[in-house]
Amino acid sequence: MEQRWNELLAIDRYVARSSGILQELDRKILTLLYQPLIGSFAYSLYMTLWSELEQDRLWGEETSHHSLMSIMQMNLHDIYKERLKLEGIGLLKTYVDDEKEVRTYIYELQTPLKPDDFFQDGILNIYLYNRVGNSKYQQLRRFFSDIQIEKNMKEVTRSFTEIFESVHPSEMVSRASNETVENLILNNSYEYMTSNKLSTLELKEEVFDFTLLFSGLSEAIIPQKSITKAVKETIVKLSHLYGIDAIEMKNILMNAIESDDSINIEQLRKAARDWYQFQYGDHLPTLCDKIQPLKLRTMQEKKERSQEEELIYQLEKISPRQFLKDISDGTEPSAADLKIIEEVMFQQKLEPGVVNVLIYYVMLQTNMKLTRSYVQKIASHWARLKLKTVQEAMELAKKLASEQETKVNNSKKKRAVRKEILPDWLAEENTAGEKEEAKLNNEQFEEEKKKLLERIKNYKNKAQEGQ
């Protein structure tokens, strides 16, 4: 279970460590490729921990988190949030010894991906493209690449065996008699320093429903033995990147099966890209295009649903980008709004369905505007509460709306409220005659709610017809 930030104390000790020797190229990669994804504060935390390492060594000196707070001029909560970003993107591994009176953490810095791995990662490079734009992305690719050796050049390098003679077995025996085997082996508590322990973007299999995938596969068409570990890792990445569920993934796999029943991974990636472009046009995927994971949908199997349950069902099926477009009567959301939502999903790791509820709640509270500071404040609160389902988010939204209404009434302050129809999960606490500008009568409410539900329900059909 994830360590809660408020369980971390300023007196807790920590020591910085690196999984390998960090070099100048790593600094440039972190600055130009990772910083646009994780932000300047997480980048600063990484660089601060790096600076604590002894030169060309793996370990730094043990100190307290209070010292780190003083250096970075950040509170412990913010340091913890930035630490999670580094962990999530694969740049940091955290270990803790909590058996002593004062806990001790080890923050192990991971070497960033090298340029060729980063630009072919399939996730990080696409997120970078969306974050910095085509022009800057191409500039970065040129910066981290150089001219190859011409193909007509012939290599004449000599091999080891051509230059050095091998050791005769009798000589090896005599040496072994003078030096014990133990002298040739590194002590178990030590490790050799290296510079090639690259970071990895960990996507656990739990984020994809393989049980549902396998239940829908025909053994005669795609044998389960074809789904190797490498194929599974690719499926998880593609599912995360393109928002592909288990049912759709089955059809995509059929386009990548070879005559020998193996799965062609490159063809699988291409099939996933083709599927995404068919669904969304030529836009590259962003976090805003993700939809609620199947395992977190609560209304998937329910055949008969009440109005509130129908709303939950629709919010579970639609992505934040689609939802923004739908509640704006088909108008494409602005780049600024999408950036706010993507930042929330990346930094706070809220599920897409929960973000849909957050979008509507915030818009109703701020005259149908997405204000960055307010969105981040609410998202941070919901992330700390570990909301995962649309139903949980709706219950909290109703509670917050009720508290806000009570606060307004108690303070006797009048403020302009947009004449927008509140869904019943936000408006049910209101009573007739209170805040007339914030609600309509029951007949109008039901009529407008039906319109909202119909717009959401028909959104995908209308989008597909327009493709």
Side-chain angles (χ1 to χ4, degrees):
M1 182 176 292
E2 198 176 75
Q3 171 77 27
R4 293 179 61 85
W5 76 268
N6 53 6
E7 293 178 2
L8 185 64
L9 303 176
I11 61 170
D12 288 339
R13 311 290 290 177
Y14 80 91
V15 58
R17 163 190 163 82
S18 175
S19 63
I21 299 296
L22 293 165
Q23 302 170 344
E24 176 62 18
L25 177 60
D26 296 319
R27 184 186 64 79
K28 292 181 179 179
I29 293 170
L30 288 163
T31 304
L32 299 176
L33 302 185
Y34 280 88
Q35 186 175 201
L37 302 181
I38 61 178
S40 58
F41 293 114
Y43 168 80
S44 177
L45 175 58
Y46 188 102
M47 300 305 289
T48 300
L49 294 174
W50 182 355
S51 70
E52 293 182 6
L53 302 178
E54 297 287 340
Q55 186 173 5
D56 295 331
R57 306 297 296 174
L58 299 182
W59 290 86
E61 293 291 330
E62 184 180 304
T63 185
S64 69
H65 282 81
H66 186 272
S67 173
L68 186 60
M69 293 164 62
S70 299
I71 292 174
M72 297 194 66
Q73 289 296 291
M74 292 175 66
N75 61 49
L76 204 56
H77 178 204
D78 289 339
I79 288 176
Y80 177 76
K81 286 198 305 181
E82 303 309 318
R83 190 191 94 189
L84 290 186
K85 293 180 193 176
L86 295 177
E87 292 174 2
I89 207 165
L91 290 175
L92 184 70
K93 288 187 177 181
T94 302
Y95 305 88
V96 62
D97 179 359
D98 55 6
E99 294 183 357
K100 300 175 183 177
E101 185 176 346
V102 177
R103 284 176 301 212
T104 301
Y105 290 83
I106 295 176
Y107 294 143
E108 184 181 65
L109 300 174
Q110 305 298 300
T111 307
L113 291 174
K114 293 299 182 261
D116 55 338
D117 294 317
F118 186 98
F119 284 104
Q120 298 178 62
D121 178 72
I123 291 183
L124 296 179
N125 58 326
I126 292 179
Y127 286 162
L128 179 66
Y129 184 95
N130 281 284
R131 192 57 59 87
V132 303
N134 179 63
S135 178
K136 185 62 178 179
Y137 183 84
Q138 299 303 332
Q139 181 183 347
L140 290 170
R141 281 213 307 182
R142 290 192 297 270
F143 181 85
F144 285 105
S145 61
D146 215 328
I147 300 172
Q148 293 185 0
I149 297 176
E150 294 182 7
K151 288 184 169 41
N152 61 356
M153 299 293 291
K154 183 172 69 174
E155 185 177 0
V156 293
T157 308
R158 300 300 178 89
S159 68
F160 177 86
T161 55
E162 289 180 288
I163 306 302
F164 298 98
E165 294 182 1
S166 61
V167 179
H168 193 274
S170 61
E171 187 177 359
M172 293 181 67
V173 172
S174 63
R175 287 185 178 179
S177 62
N178 294 327
E179 294 180 337
T180 63
V181 175
E182 287 75 10
N183 289 336
L184 302 177
I185 301 175
L186 189 66
N187 188 295
N188 286 337
S189 61
Y190 286 78
E191 64 176 331
Y192 289 111
M193 289 185 286
T194 179
S195 62
N196 60 358
K197 287 187 178 180
L198 303 180
S199 67
T200 57
L201 193 63
E202 293 188 13
L203 296 175
K204 297 182 179 179
E205 287 187 12
E206 297 90 87
V207 302
F208 185 83
D209 193 343
F210 278 101
T211 302
L212 181 60
L213 174 66
F214 289 142
S215 68
L217 287 179
S218 168
E219 190 69 20
I221 300 176
I222 305 178
Q224 285 197 22
K225 67 177 183 180
S226 303
I227 313 298
T228 63
K229 182 180 179 181
V231 172
K232 273 192 171 185
E233 291 174 352
T234 304
I235 287 174
V236 172
K237 272 194 174 185
L238 293 174
S239 170
H240 176 82
L241 178 62
Y242 295 113
I244 305 173
D245 62 26
I247 297 173
E248 288 158 339
M249 185 62 75
K250 177 192 68 174
N251 299 323
I252 292 171
L253 280 169
M254 293 176 66
N255 292 319
I257 189 76
E258 300 280 23
S259 57
D260 61 354
D261 290 338
S262 65
I263 301 291
N264 185 317
I265 290 180
E266 283 305 314
Q267 187 60 34
L268 180 60
R269 288 173 176 166
K270 182 180 183 301
R273 287 196 301 271
D274 291 344
W275 173 88
Y276 184 88
Q277 289 179 335
F278 178 77
Q279 295 288 328
Y280 301 103
D282 294 329
H283 298 290
L284 285 173
T286 68
L287 287 174
C288 298
D289 290 317
K290 291 179 64 180
I291 60 176
Q292 188 77 350
L294 280 173
K295 67 175 184 177
L296 295 177
R297 299 184 195 180
T298 57
M299 298 296 159
Q300 187 74 10
E301 303 299 327
K302 204 163 185 178
K303 301 303 180 184
E304 296 184 5
R305 294 180 283 267
S306 65
Q307 281 194 333
E308 181 169 314
E309 289 172 340
E310 179 65 21
L311 186 56
I312 293 174
Y313 177 69
Q314 298 300 335
L315 292 178
E316 289 176 339
K317 290 174 57 181
I318 197 169
S319 73
R321 177 199 288 271
Q322 291 172 324
F323 188 54
L324 279 171
K325 183 175 180 179
D326 186 58
I327 60 178
S328 301
D329 295 323
T331 303
E332 283 290 344
S334 68
D337 285 350
L338 287 176
K339 187 173 182 181
I340 292 172
I341 298 304
E342 186 170 285
E343 285 177 356
V344 165
M345 295 180 72
F346 184 82
Q347 295 172 2
Q348 305 297 342
K349 297 180 175 58
L350 291 179
E351 297 294 343
V354 175
V355 171
N356 286 337
V357 180
L358 182 146
I359 289 171
Y360 205 74
Y361 173 76
V362 169
M363 282 190 162
L364 290 171
Q365 296 295 321
T366 57
N367 197 24
M368 298 303 285
K369 295 179 181 178
L370 283 182
T371 307
R372 181 188 299 272
S373 58
Y374 189 54
V375 170
Q376 290 177 339
K377 176 183 177 182
I378 299 297
S380 177
H381 177 213
W382 289 16
R384 289 197 297 274
L385 293 176
K386 302 189 186 308
L387 299 184
K388 295 296 182 183
T389 69
V390 172
Q391 194 165 9
E392 291 172 344
M394 287 172 63
E395 289 298 325
L396 180 61
K398 285 191 294 184
K399 180 181 176 182
L400 293 175
S402 176
E403 291 174 352
Q404 181 67 18
E405 185 72 13
T406 301
K407 182 179 179 181
V408 170
N409 290 334
N410 289 342
S411 64
K412 304 297 182 183
K413 291 182 179 179
K414 293 182 179 181
R415 59 186 178 87
V417 178
R418 186 182 189 273
K419 290 185 178 181
E420 179 69 20
I421 304 306
L422 298 179
D424 57 355
W425 47 275
L426 286 180
E428 66 181 14
E429 300 297 332
N430 290 345
T431 57
E434 293 180 341
K435 302 294 291 179
E436 291 185 0
E437 293 183 348
K439 62 183 178 63
L440 299 176
N441 61 44
N442 288 338
E443 290 183 4
Q444 291 173 312
F445 170 75
E446 290 301 327
E447 182 181 350
E448 289 297 324
K449 182 174 180 180
K450 286 179 183 178
K451 290 180 182 179
L452 173 63
L453 290 174
E454 194 63 29
R455 287 205 308 270
I456 298 174
K457 186 184 296 184
N458 293 334
Y459 180 82
K460 282 190 176 182
N461 294 334
K462 289 186 289 185
Q464 289 174 354
E465 289 173 3
Q467 287 178 348

